Amino acid sequence: MGSAYPEITARQDLVAETLTCEERQFRSTLRRGLDLLQRELAQAPEGGLFDGDKAFRLYETYGFPREITAEILAERDCRIDDAAWQKAEETHRQASRSKVSEVFTVSALQDAKPRLGQTTFVGYDQLEATAALLLIEVDGAAVATAPAGTALRCALDVTPFYAESGGQVADHGTVSGDGFVIAIDEVQRDEGLVIHCGRVVEGAARPGPVTATVDAQRRARIAAHHSATHLLHTALGEVLGAHVEQQGSKVDDRELRFDYNHSAAPSPAELAQVERIVNDHIIMDHAVRITVTDPASARACGAKALFGEKYGDQVRVVAMGEPAVSTELCGGCHVDHTGALRRFRIVRDEATAAGIRRVVAVAGEAAEALEQRADALALACGHLLGLADPDASEIPALCQLLKAPEDDLERRLAALVEESQVLERAVVSVDVTVLLPHGGLVERTMALQRHIRHLRKELERQQAATALAMVDDLVASAQEVAGMPLIVGDVGEIDGKALREAAKQALDKAPQAVVVLGARSGGKALLVAMCSPQARERAIRAGALIAALAPLVGGGGGGRDDQAQAGGPDAASLSAALAAVPELVAETAVTT
């Protein structure tokens, strides 16, 4: 059945063409959104208003951008009901702020809001301020004093503390008065009132004059991460495409988290390029300029805004560089110059939802520490591979190649080198030209892996040839037990496949025999048994033999009457297990 709206079908096809199989869920979600829009359009009159609540639900539930919905509607001479959209958006925003809402339900601070008024925030320019402690709340009730150890919430008339908002965590610090100190570890805003949460750590807190002091070092780390987030936004757009937009963020004193829209995982090379761009802007030491203007002027200068956020009559525009390399609307705290970030390092990139990815990164001292660690790790890996001057930027790609975290990278690479050396000693004739001493960390590791695969195959071939060469001697030395030929022997270091082939060759050479062979592989014992039809007529079953022998090497196994195998960790007991075979066969055989 054809679509009633070919323009929608065309967009569905376009979406399907631009997504890979890794984005099937993303495609499915978009298709459901498009199908829903098609059904709604079937009921909407041309040239009218489209329900803004429904348009917002398309965005909220299916990730369907308002711009695309508006474009499709325009083709039918329809437009979104802006008032209904804004109402739905505000309802969603209030629901998302449930944590903050809970803080202010039925409490002394909530009741006192009209009297307390708005808190004056001075934290952009100063980290310490003289203020008045207006009200102390303990367990929801106002108190005159709060002794040491008491958890409380309080309001100041002036504060340098940044309240958690816009993805930036709240400041920590102290509020100190005459004979008391309150340690502040959470700051929240309820409209214009700023609530400081903490615990009395000295004396007895009471309303009156105080000094509010922000933890300056922690604020500096937070500001560095916030400024780095803006530069990261710019760099992602340059490397991955202009479609990249912020979908959420969180900055604290330990790291930054930036969510963005992109359909595929960036390659290690792309992430390295993003990292280089950010560090280049740090080295250039751009000035960070903050201006306050109206939204229209901000948009005119190209400032980026977070889609879905509601901005007031005045907005802060944060611009970095001249001409600006980054311009965004932002109410958060920032450094004065990008050079204050010192260094920037991406910790990881991961998927969080269909079409949404997350970069976790660090700046400042944390980034320098990671860089030093990466340099040391690169030197260690380079030493293992015979590389004197390794490039630390290859570490993420090397982790991906070996499917190992950085903490385990050196050990994994050392294990490969050791395996190569062990194999070289084991193989009688080895082609060492497979591993060439050239290239960087990744190229040399790939060559090492190829070398190991070559050696493994060669060793397996040689071991199988040795085992097969032993078959004639084993057949010639076969015992006769209960009137049947019994071939028992240890064929040395071979894998299970080669062991089965050796047993098959022995049975081919002695068609009426019982064959039980043992071998060692990777420090473990292997056993295989094969029984001829004549042996099975005498009630000798390969599966029963293996079931009895396997415990002797600490393992288990079984199989068919004609063929069975087992393995166990106790390779030292293999000889004893094979020595038990003649008696076991003699006890089992039925006299004819």
Side-chain angles (χ1 to χ4, degrees), residues 18 135 148 156 202 294 304 306 385 471 479 530 566 580:
T18 57
L135 186 149
L156 311 178
E202 183 180 326
D294 59 274
K304 295 179 182 176
L306 183 60
L385 296 169
V471 168
Q479 309 173 48
M530 293 188 182

Side-chain angles (χ1 to χ4, degrees), residues 57-315:
R57 298 308 162 201
L58 281 169
Y59 162 70
E60 178 194 15
T61 305
Y62 299 100
F64 214 73
R66 173 177 173 148
E67 289 82 355
I68 292 181
T69 302
E71 181 183 343
I72 293 173
L73 289 171
E75 294 172 3
R76 289 178 50 81
D77 197 24
C78 287
R79 60 186 178 85
I80 296 173
D81 185 338
D82 287 332
W85 171 286
Q86 291 173 8
K87 182 179 178 181
E89 187 177 43
E90 182 61 25
T91 300
H92 174 70
R93 184 180 292 110
Q94 292 300 328
S96 299
R97 291 174 176 169
S98 58
K99 177 183 175 183
V100 176
S101 298
E102 290 171 3
V103 171
F104 301 103
T105 57
V106 191
S107 70
L109 284 166
Q110 175 69 13
D111 293 341
K113 273 176 60 179
R115 173 173 59 84
L116 296 174
Q118 294 194 351
T119 308
T120 301
F121 175 64
V122 297
Y124 288 136
D125 303 313
Q126 58 192 85
L127 299 181
E128 184 172 287
T130 300
L133 176 53
L134 303 176
L135 186 149
I136 298 174
E137 178 190 283
V138 177
D139 294 330
V143 298
T145 62
T150 303
L152 57 73
R153 301 192 305 149
C154 60
L156 311 178
D157 64 339
V158 174
T159 185
F161 286 88
Y162 183 88
E164 181 173 356
S165 64
Q168 179 177 321
V169 298
D171 285 328
H172 291 177
T174 59
V175 171
S176 305
D178 185 10
F180 69 87
V181 178
I182 304 170
I184 302 299
D185 58 14
E186 185 178 359
V187 185
Q188 298 171 338
R189 181 180 294 276
D190 179 27
E191 297 176 345
L193 182 65
V194 176
I195 307 301
H196 305 72
C197 308
R199 184 175 296 274
V200 182
V201 295
E202 183 180 326
R206 58 188 177 279
V210 293
T211 299
T213 307
V214 171
D215 182 336
Q217 292 185 342
R218 184 174 182 274
R219 164 71 84 82
R221 293 192 294 269
I222 293 171
H225 282 141
H226 205 152
S227 296
T229 301
H230 286 213
L231 293 176
L232 172 62
H233 193 177
T234 294
L236 286 169
E238 288 184 27
V239 175
L240 302 181
H243 65 278
V244 170
E245 291 184 352
Q246 178 179 337
Q247 303 298 312
S249 70
K250 182 179 180 181
V251 293
D252 58 30
D253 58 316
R254 299 180 303 277
E255 64 184 21
L256 67 89
R257 186 194 76 196
F258 184 82
D259 295 350
Y260 65 101
N261 58 307
H262 192 58
S263 59
S267 68
E270 287 174 325
L271 290 177
Q273 185 180 357
V274 168
E275 197 173 85
R276 281 195 298 271
I277 291 172
V278 175
N279 280 311
D280 285 346
H281 289 313
I282 292 173
I283 292 171
M284 292 176 189
D285 196 22
H286 300 303
V288 178
R289 306 182 313 280
I290 298 177
T291 57
V292 178
T293 185
D294 59 274
S297 299
R299 285 193 294 271
C301 72
K304 295 179 182 176
L306 183 60
F307 182 74
E309 279 294 307
K310 208 172 183 181
Y311 297 97
D313 295 335
Q314 296 290 297
V315 294

Side-chain angles (χ1 to χ4, degrees), residues 369-399:
L370 277 184
E371 196 164 74
Q372 291 169 3
R373 177 183 169 189
D375 288 341
L377 183 57
L379 283 173
C381 293
H383 177 72
L384 289 168
L385 296 169
L387 183 60
D389 188 23
D391 183 356
S393 69
E394 286 196 273
I395 290 297
L398 189 58
C399 288

Side-chain angles (χ1 to χ4, degrees), residues 459-477:
L459 181 60
E460 289 172 2
R461 187 191 66 78
Q462 291 182 12
Q463 288 176 341
T466 300
L468 291 174
M470 295 174 64
V471 168
D472 286 339
D473 292 338
L474 290 172
V475 171
S477 60

